[in-house]
Amino acid sequence: APPPGAPMSFADIVDAVSPAVVSIDVRQRVDAGALRQIPGFENFPFDILPEQPEGEQGQDQDVPEQFGSGSGFFISADGYIVTNNHVVENAEEITVRLNDDRELTATLVGTDPETDLAVLRVEGNNFPYVRFETEARPRVGDWVLAIGNPLGLGGTVTAGVVSAYGRQNVDPRTAYVDYMQIDAPINRGNSGGPTF
């Protein structure tokens, strides 16, 4: 038997909220200078991008593309989606795959790199969505579920507890320090997914 207060299963919660969780695929151009910004790579002795055949330098199609993916979730019935900023940063094209396998093109509404959040929008109505909790404050030790839709493979769920409050961002360039820490495993491709 579970300890007092623990649910026998999280399946009812997952059934209720997982339709709002989406997979996000992005297409980006490779930033040739990005690797040189990583400490230790500033003075790399060779070009990061492959050499182009003579006479083709400077053409847009010569810049390599890269693809990435993550998760996100609807916060309104009219198509607004929250994800992580790092999932969609520098994206030239964003595709959202819904729980029912529909694929929609998304536009970027706004980003906040300091909190690593981004808002997207897809055209349409009557999307399943979830609301942010604004009143209750989970206690350290309370259950938490992390839900994602990684790499277009379908939903994934992990469970853990609230570990701590007031955790700092390890990036010294940001001032935001009031993160809630959880110990639910975050599967690859879950970035941008919600917790419940």
Side-chain angles (χ1 to χ4, degrees), residues 27-51:
R27 180 177 58 84
Q28 304 161 307
R29 294 285 183 186
V30 174
D31 180 0
L35 188 56
R36 294 187 194 277
Q37 297 173 12
I38 300 174
F41 287 81
E42 301 92 339
N43 300 309
F44 239 42
F46 54 85
D47 288 334
I48 295 169
L49 295 178
E51 288 188 21

Side-chain angles (χ1 to χ4, degrees), residues 156-179:
T156 179
V157 179
T158 56
V161 297
V162 174
S163 301
Y165 281 96
R167 286 300 189 245
Q168 295 184 8
N169 190 339
V170 295
D171 187 344
R173 295 172 294 180
T174 63
Y176 193 78
V177 296
D178 193 20
Y179 286 108

Side-chain angles (χ1 to χ4, degrees), residues 8-96:
M8 289 293 291
S9 170
F10 296 114
D12 289 343
I13 299 171
V14 174
D15 286 346
V17 299
S18 61
V21 181
V22 300
S23 180
I24 297 173
D25 296 315
V26 299
R27 180 177 58 84
Q28 304 161 307
R29 294 285 183 186
V30 174
D31 180 0
L35 188 56
R36 294 187 194 277
Q37 297 173 12
I38 300 174
F41 287 81
E42 301 92 339
N43 300 309
F44 239 42
F46 54 85
D47 288 334
I48 295 169
L49 295 178
E51 288 188 21
Q52 303 297 328
E54 194 170 330
E56 296 184 11
Q57 300 288 336
Q59 298 178 13
D60 285 344
Q61 61 268 25
D62 295 335
V63 179
E65 291 181 337
Q66 64 183 10
F67 298 88
S69 64
S71 299
F73 56 100
F74 282 105
I75 58 167
S76 69
D78 58 350
Y80 284 94
I81 297 169
V82 170
T83 186
N84 283 136
N85 178 62
H86 74 262
V87 171
V88 296
E89 193 170 24
N90 300 320
E92 293 197 347
E93 182 178 311
I94 305 170
T95 303
V96 172

